[in-house]
Structure formats: structure tokens, C-alpha cells
Amino acid sequence: MSDPPQASADPDPAVDENRLELLITEAQTALPVELPALADQCASALGLGTALIYLVDLQQRLLVPLDEALEPLPVDRSSAGWAYRTVSPRVVETDDGLIVWMPLVDGAERLGVLAVRTASLDGVRIRRSRMLACLFAMLISSKRAYSDWLASRTRTAVMGLPAEMLRAFLPPRTIGSSRCVSTAVLEPAYDIAGDAFDHSVVKNELHTMILDGMGHDLTAGLTTSVAMAAARNARRGGGDLADVVGRVDQALARWLPDHFCTGVLCRLDAETGVLRWVNCGHPPPLLIRAERVLTGALGSLPQPPIGLVGPLAPAARQVHETKLEPGDCVLLYTDGVVEARDADGAEFGLDRFTDFIIRSNAVGRRPAEALRLLIHAILDHQRNQLRDDATILLFEWRPQYQ
């Protein structure tokens, strides 16, 4: 695998403020393909050497350089990957200087890493490297929403049309604040159809949702896409949880009357820890507290799936409520997670699923990293050939970090 470009030998840490101001101004209108050159120029203006951007691929296995002449680096077996996994800087000594691997993070979302080459290193250069990483994380986030080039750089396979449509509706993998974090993964990355997740922060409330559409085709993806759009429409109009579920029911009944989906919708008050949820024919959420699953804590009487019409439609949705304790984790998942089977027909299973999360929490892994490793374990269990979509969403209440 190729190394990033070599650093300048100039140890002078002086900042060219005029040049840096001009570069930052130019960055607002720069094309995404111009970001690699812009990163080098900004690094030089900060008195550093050179810089190179790596973005994580769709399945979070590779760190892909935006310089198309270079090869990807493995997330699990590289210094760059260590910086990505731990969201911490990593300094590596080379024959011609030092490489500082800085995580690229937008809020709580891990985007990749920035490689900064420099002849020497001190507190000033570390701080400037961090500033550079923050700047380019924001630039990448602002430009990837409209850049097919950035999207294609992070793909390692051809994406099916249902997956392409559904992924256009998905939010970032991870969102959060100082009080709570929500993170999700779904597979098969390039062939999903009926599964989806959504999460959003509205003032002090975290909204989460997981959906499993009927079937595994373009219509299944359309069903969950309409459900997500209806839920967002209701949230943005100020609706409470019952209003949101009702709006989704109405949208599917009107526009796709022959299709439905199961799902769980949650609303967490990040100040008080009060959790409200509605389960529409879906596997119940799981509550993990003090490194154990509280069996049945978030169970509820069965309710019909979303989108049923006529006599099968529910008269009203029942909203359940409980109060979380600091550090509690809530897991939402689709049945493809626990029903994944190995070559001998053995299911991955609920116990193995929850035990993986508990052990990850015990060793201090961040929620996003725990799910990255978990979804890879599920894929490995089924030899990368999932029979059904597998989606996991985890959110954690952590007011102790206020």
C-alpha cells in the first residue's frame, strides 16, 4: 500500500494568515475533487508539511484516499485505522519525518482520517493538525451531500437501485450531543431494500426509528422511504410521538395501500431521561443497564404494523413510557440480525447479539465502533451472504457528560 506524500522539511511553524484566509474563502466554492490539493495548501499555510484525506468506505472496512493514485488502508490493521476506531490522534515515525493521523469527525459522525506529514512535532503543530482536521471534516460534510464523486470514492462494489434510493433518505450513521448519542448500521450495504433507520435531535429530544418493509425489492424500499418522509414531516411540524406514528400510518395507507412495514419509534428527553416509544409489530427494543439486559423492560402488547388499512388498521396507537438511568443503552434491531445463520444453520441469536454489545461497553468502545464490529461479526457468521437485511440502531443516555 502506498504512503501519503512526503512532508516538507521546513520546521518553521509560522502561520501565513493571509494565505490561510484566502484558502478558507476559496474552500467554500471549491469542487470536492479539489479538496486534496486544498488540504496540502492549508497545511503549508499552517507551517505543517503536507496533508492527505482518507474517507471510510461504506462498510467501514477501508480508509480510501481522495488522491486516486494511492491505495486504501485497512481500518482494522493500520495506524490510520487506529485513529479512526478510537477517534484519537496517532503519531507514527517514518524515515523522512512524522505522520500525524487525525480523525475526521463531523459532530459524532466518523468520516475518516487526515494524514499530516511534518518534519517535527510539538504542541503547536498538534493543535494546528487538529484544527486542519476540523476544517476539512466540515468541508467534506458540506460537499458530500451533492458530490457523486465523494460517494463513489467510498464504494467498493456496484450498488443496487433499491439501495441507492433508500440510502438517499438515510441520515448520517451517528448523531449526538453531550447528553446522548445514536448510531446505526445496516447490511447488505449495496443490496438493502426494506430496512431503514432514522434519528434526529430536536432541541433537547432525541428521535429514533427503525423500519422493516415488507418484501425485498424496490417497492419495499419505497415503503420505508415514504415512512421516513412522513415521520420527518410530522416531527418538523411539531407533532408528538402519537402524531408521528399516525402520520406514517396515513401516508402508507394513502400512497401505498398494499404495502406495510414493522417498526419502532422512540423519543428520548435528553434532560430527564424519559423515554417514550411505540412498537408497531416489530421485535421489542432491548434495554441494557449495568452490563446486563433487563428482560422485558421495553416490552409491550403487540400492535399492528404500520400502514394497514380497513378493519386491520389500529384505532389508536399505544405510547409507552419509562425513565432511563444514566449510561443506559437501548437497542433497536430487525429480525435479520438475530436470524443470520452460519453454514450449519445456527442462528447468530439474541444472546450473542446482546453479549457483543455488553462486552464492547465493558472495554470502553464507543457505540459507533461497537456496532461496526458487531455488523462485521454478523456478516462473518453468514459468510457475507445475508438472507435478509440486518439493521441495528443503538442509543445511549449519558447525562453525566454534561
Side-chain angles (χ1 to χ4, degrees):
M1 294 182 181
S2 303
D3 283 334
Q6 294 187 358
S8 164
D10 182 6
D12 183 6
V15 174
D16 186 341
E17 292 187 2
N18 292 334
R19 185 181 176 207
L20 186 60
E21 179 185 11
L22 179 61
L23 289 170
I24 292 174
T25 301
E26 290 178 353
Q28 297 178 24
T29 55
L31 295 172
V33 75
E34 296 172 333
L35 291 179
L38 187 64
D40 266 348
Q41 293 166 18
C42 286
S44 175
L46 284 168
L48 302 168
T50 57
L52 183 62
I53 301 165
Y54 287 78
L55 297 184
V56 73
D57 81 304
L58 197 59
Q59 295 179 294
Q60 300 184 86
R61 293 185 184 275
L62 298 172
L63 290 162
V64 182
L66 291 192
D67 184 338
E68 296 176 326
L70 301 179
E71 294 294 322
L73 301 172
V75 169
D76 289 315
R77 300 181 309 279
S78 67
S79 296
W82 188 93
Y84 176 82
R85 298 192 310 269
T86 63
V87 196
S88 302
R90 185 69 179 262
V91 180
V92 178
E93 187 172 0
T94 68
D95 292 339
D96 52 2
L98 301 169
I99 302 177
V100 184
W101 294 101
M102 280 287 177
L104 290 170
V105 183
D106 177 32
E109 172 80 331
R110 301 180 298 178
L111 305 177
V113 293
L114 182 72
V116 179
R117 276 194 180 267
T118 181
S120 60
L121 196 61
D122 54 21
V124 171
R125 288 183 174 86
I126 282 285
R127 187 165 60 251
R128 291 177 184 174
S129 297
R130 186 176 292 113
M131 290 167 54
L132 192 62
C134 289
L135 171 63
F136 276 85
M138 289 187 287
L139 286 173
I140 291 163
S141 294
S142 69
K143 296 178 186 299
R144 66 176 178 170
Y146 62 83
S147 172
D148 288 344
W149 179 71
L150 287 175
S152 64
R153 285 300 292 160
T154 56
R155 295 182 182 183
T156 59
V158 176
M159 183 170 290
L161 179 58
E164 190 76 66
M165 180 187 68
L166 192 54
R167 284 198 174 276
F169 282 87
L170 293 180
R173 276 186 294 257
T174 308
I175 65 170
S177 68
S178 60
R179 295 190 180 114
C180 59
V181 64
S182 176
T183 186
V185 289
L186 74 169
E187 287 282 354
Y190 298 92
D191 195 34
I192 53 169
D195 277 17
F197 68 88
D198 195 18
H199 43 204
S200 175
V201 175
V202 181
K203 293 185 178 180
N204 66 325
E205 290 186 327
L206 172 67
H207 299 251
T208 60
M209 176 171 66
I210 196 166
L211 299 168
D212 187 350
M214 178 185 68
H216 193 83
D217 54 18
L218 187 64
T219 306
L222 181 60
T223 301
T224 48
S225 297
V226 170
M228 281 192 288
R232 291 170 184 171
N233 185 251
R235 288 199 310 258
R236 293 165 185 174
D240 61 19
L241 191 55
D243 294 329
V244 172
V245 182
R247 188 75 62 84
V248 178
D249 268 325
Q250 294 166 17
L252 291 184
R254 177 181 180 185
W255 299 108
L256 294 163
D258 296 326
H259 297 271
F260 61 87
C261 59
T262 67
V264 177
L265 293 85
C266 303
R267 180 172 292 192
L268 171 65
D269 187 317
E271 291 185 347
T272 66
V274 171
L275 173 67
R276 305 177 77 233
W277 78 97
V278 177
N279 188 338
C280 305
H282 200 80
L286 301 175
L287 176 60
I288 297 177
R289 177 178 295 162
E291 298 183 12
R292 68 185 185 93
V293 178
L294 298 188
T295 305
L298 301 181
S300 58
L301 293 175
Q303 297 190 61
I306 306 170
L308 295 181
V309 297
L312 297 177
R317 293 292 186 180
Q318 186 176 3
V319 179
H320 303 276
E321 182 176 310
T322 191
K323 192 174 189 307
L324 300 185
E325 294 183 3
D328 279 356
C329 292
V330 177
L331 276 171
L332 312 179
Y333 64 98
T334 59
D335 51 15
V337 171
V338 296
E339 294 175 2
R341 296 179 182 272
D342 64 13
D344 297 323
E347 290 187 345
F348 192 83
L350 190 61
D351 289 343
R352 190 182 328 204
F353 170 51
T354 54
D355 183 62
F356 197 106
I357 295 296
I358 290 169
R359 287 187 287 108
S360 292
N361 286 348
V363 299
R365 288 195 185 108
R366 294 170 179 263
E369 180 62 14
L371 288 201
R372 185 187 76 88
L373 293 173
L374 174 55
I375 200 68
H376 290 172
I378 292 168
L379 284 167
D380 292 343
H381 182 79
Q382 200 161 321
R383 306 170 306 285
N384 289 321
Q385 297 295 324
L386 292 177
R387 297 188 181 97
D388 192 9
D389 293 353
T391 304
I392 311 166
L393 186 147
L394 178 155
F395 62 90
E396 180 182 25
W397 186 50
R398 48 184 191 186
Q400 64 269 31
Y401 297 123
Q402 293 182 43

